[in-house]
Amino acid sequence: MAVTESMAGGTPGQTPAVHEGILKRQSARESSARTYARALPIVPVRARGLTIEGADGRRYLDCLSGAGTLALGHNHPVVLEAIRSVLDSGAPLSVLDLATPVKDAFITELFHTLPPGLADRARVQFCGPAGTDAVEAALKLVRAATGRTGILAFTGACHGMTAGALAASGGARDVQVTRLPYPQDYRCPFGVGGPPGAELSARWTESLLDDPKSGVPLPAGMIVEPVQGEGGVIPAPDDWLRRMRRLTADRSVPLIADEIQTGVGRTGAFWAVDHSGVTPDVMVLSKAIGGSLPLAVIVYRDDLDTWQPGAHAGTFRGNQLAMAAGTATLGFVRENALAERAAALGSRMLSQLKELSAAWACVGDVRGRGLMIGIELVNPEADPAPSGAFADLGFSGGVGVSGGVVGLGGLGGLGGPGGPGSPAGPGAAPAWPGPGRTPHPAAPGLATAVQRECLQRGLIVELGGRHASVVRLLPPLTISDEQATAVLDRLADAVAAVARHHKPHETSQQRHPGPAQHTG
């Protein structure tokens, strides 16, 4: 496989010198807060679908997709046509919150896609054009509607970069929001994973809400990502999300679903909450709903609409071009069943990528949902450290769940297998053996190396996760089977190039010779 592809007849002026000059000026003039530009030293000049061409004439397969913004990839024809139609019509491009035919069409299409139970009684608030402002609006809304102030959020969350959104995210310093454990298998906060880990997370949440001495008053709302993206591509279990819905509904706590990155077909359903059948009280939407242009809204149940005029506003909430592009995108995804396509293709890609974890010890976990995929890199040479609450107690058994009762293996007398009250009886195997291995420490350096090797092979990927050790794939929903194969081949080459410096699993060379033989 060639490392890069050249674009025949490239745009005049595209040379390595032009490319380097632009990068040098960017480094000298732009803020130190820039992020993607540091890891991806490219200068995009043209793009279509999955492909970007740089100023130096090199071509790349873009699996960053504007951090999930480009549901249809770069410059999709239906999006361009929608934008041209508005430009040619003479319609105003920015209208504050005035009603227009373009806005009316967008709202109508958006409401066609909403979960059952919300569309019939929904209100929509147009926010400033970034998702973080929509999060701010959602938090203000539930506080105004309930008269309460507290917010429940989850460890690992990423809701935006403004003050309120940051306060609900995983890296907050000045804690103003109560944190709850987000269930996950590979690095379960309780050290057990699977349904038992999710059950323990739910029990903790229920106890916090109902214990009069928990120190957490009844909150104004709970905000949750159905799949944590920046947190490491961690899908919430459907049963657990339904449990959160019941817990909040029973206590009149509005449930806010942050679908900024998971929406518009990304996870294999139009909205990620559709997998669980959950209807939230508030949905926070941005990224893909603008069809590649800035747009952010919240959609919420009408009885929460207690705001006074101007309670949340923004000059650029009337972006007509984004509304037109968004209408075209939402309609195209819905009419062409691209969510179902993402589910099927994403499942195949995940299955193939799991071979990397069998082949290379530095690939700790492969996970995701639809076309939202993560590969976690670990340091296989470091000793695994026990993690989670039960590891701290010296617990090494499994967890059983029967009749809603959690049993902890290895802790006799607490209902675990082999202990008093165990439904399976003495000596029985636990219903869930835990994650099956104690994870090695995260390896952000290896993840960075994989990202760099990918770029050398013409593949753009993002990093995420708690320690920036997760290589993330967010390809457009329009990616073809052939392009998906090319993405997987280049990623496998990159992982193999990095992993050769570490011991493969004992029999991986015999079982999976492919990645080790790629030369890039």
Side-chain angles (χ1 to χ4, degrees):
M1 179 193 304
V3 173
T4 61
E5 305 170 63
S6 296
M7 173 74 79
T11 302
Q14 290 183 18
T15 66
V18 170
H19 165 89
E20 291 298 330
I22 292 174
L23 288 180
K24 287 179 180 178
R25 288 190 292 276
Q26 180 188 42
S27 179
R29 300 189 295 200
E30 288 193 27
S31 166
S32 295
R34 66 190 188 282
T35 55
Y36 297 108
R38 295 178 185 275
L40 303 170
I42 61 177
V43 181
V45 292
R46 291 196 300 184
R48 188 66 173 257
L50 182 69
T51 304
I52 285 179
E53 182 186 356
D56 57 356
R58 296 181 63 189
R59 298 182 71 190
Y60 303 88
L61 301 181
D62 181 13
C63 281
L64 174 58
S65 298
T69 298
L70 307 172
L72 304 184
H74 295 276
N75 293 320
H76 193 280
V78 303
V79 172
L80 296 182
E81 176 57 32
I83 293 172
R84 289 192 189 102
S85 178
V86 174
L87 292 174
D88 293 343
S89 73
L93 300 184
S94 186
V95 294
L96 300 172
D97 62 359
L98 301 178
T100 71
V102 174
K103 178 193 276 190
D104 184 63
F106 172 78
I107 295 173
T108 300
E109 181 59 47
L110 176 63
F111 277 32
H112 277 322
T113 71
L114 295 177
L118 182 57
D120 293 341
R121 52 180 307 189
R123 294 288 186 271
V124 59
Q125 165 76 22
F126 287 81
C127 306
T132 188
D133 189 61
V135 170
E136 298 282 351
L139 300 182
K140 287 170 62 176
L141 173 74
V142 296
R143 284 169 170 150
T146 64
R148 303 189 291 264
T149 58
I151 297 293
L152 298 179
F154 292 88
T155 54
C158 180
H159 296 295
M161 297 303 292
T162 51
L166 275 175
S169 299
R173 301 291 179 89
D174 181 15
V175 178
Q176 305 169 29
V177 175
T178 300
R179 292 298 188 285
L180 300 169
Y182 192 92
Q184 54 174 308
D185 288 345
Y186 189 61
R187 298 192 186 277
C188 175
F190 301 104
V192 293
E199 171 68 15
L200 290 169
S201 170
R203 288 293 184 93
W204 175 258
T205 302
E206 186 172 15
S207 173
L208 200 73
L209 288 170
D210 292 345
D211 181 356
K213 296 296 184 180
S214 69
V216 179
L218 192 67
M222 172 190 285
I223 185 167
V224 61
E225 297 163 281
V227 180
Q228 285 194 345
E230 302 304 320
V233 192
I234 305 172
D238 292 336
D239 285 342
W240 176 85
L241 198 56
R242 286 189 284 267
R243 183 76 170 273
M244 293 301 102
R245 172 68 286 186
R246 290 195 299 272
L247 288 176
T248 52
D250 289 348
R251 294 156 182 81
S252 298
V253 175
L255 178 65
I256 305 167
D258 183 340
E259 292 261 14
I260 290 173
Q261 193 167 102
T262 56
V264 195
R266 169 62 55 192
T267 68
F270 205 97
W271 307 109
V273 293
D274 292 340
H275 291 290
S276 61
V278 162
T279 299
D281 302 298
V282 185
M283 294 179 67
V284 184
L285 313 176
S286 188
K287 291 191 185 292
I289 67 161
S292 76
L293 298 179
L295 189 64
V297 304
I298 58 172
V299 180
Y300 53 92
R301 211 178 59 241
D302 54 7
D303 61 304
L304 297 174
D305 196 23
T306 60
W307 271 344
Q308 296 299 309
H312 193 83
T315 301
F316 295 105
R317 65 193 186 279
N319 186 342
Q320 293 261 90
L321 291 181
M323 292 175 195
T327 303
T329 298
L330 293 170
F332 193 88
V333 171
R334 180 174 60 85
E335 293 164 7
N336 291 276
L338 291 190
E340 292 80 355
R341 159 78 177 162
L345 181 57
S347 178
R348 293 201 299 272
M349 293 177 72
L350 271 174
S351 179
Q352 294 179 56
L353 287 170
K354 286 183 184 295
E355 296 181 5
L356 294 176
S357 63
W360 302 108
C362 64
V363 179
D365 194 33
V366 176
R367 54 184 180 260
R369 198 159 205 175
L371 290 175
M372 192 171 181
I373 297 171
I375 303 97
E376 182 165 348
L377 278 296
V378 299
N379 182 357
E381 297 173 0
D383 292 333
S387 61
F390 299 111
D392 293 339
L393 294 173
F395 166 61
S396 60
V399 175
V401 180
S402 178
V405 176
V406 180
L408 306 179
L411 293 180
L414 295 182
S422 168
W432 178 264
R437 61 194 183 283
T438 302
H440 290 281
L446 292 183
T448 299
V450 169
Q451 184 185 45
R452 184 169 56 247
E453 292 287 343
C454 283
L455 194 64
Q456 291 177 2
R457 289 159 173 76
L459 175 63
I460 298 172
V461 297
E462 185 179 11
L463 299 184
R466 266 64 162 185
H467 304 282
S469 61
V470 178
V471 176
R472 303 184 59 204
L473 297 179
L474 293 166
L477 309 187
T478 52
I479 184 174
S480 68
D481 289 344
E482 294 77 14
Q483 288 174 327
T485 297
V487 167
L488 295 178
D489 284 347
R490 296 182 192 194
L491 179 58
D493 284 345
V495 171
V498 173
R500 286 190 189 102
H501 301 294
H502 300 276
K503 288 183 179 180
H505 288 310
E506 186 175 351
T507 60
S508 64
Q509 298 301 321
Q510 290 75 28
R511 290 179 298 166
H512 301 280
Q517 294 176 351
H518 284 303
T519 61

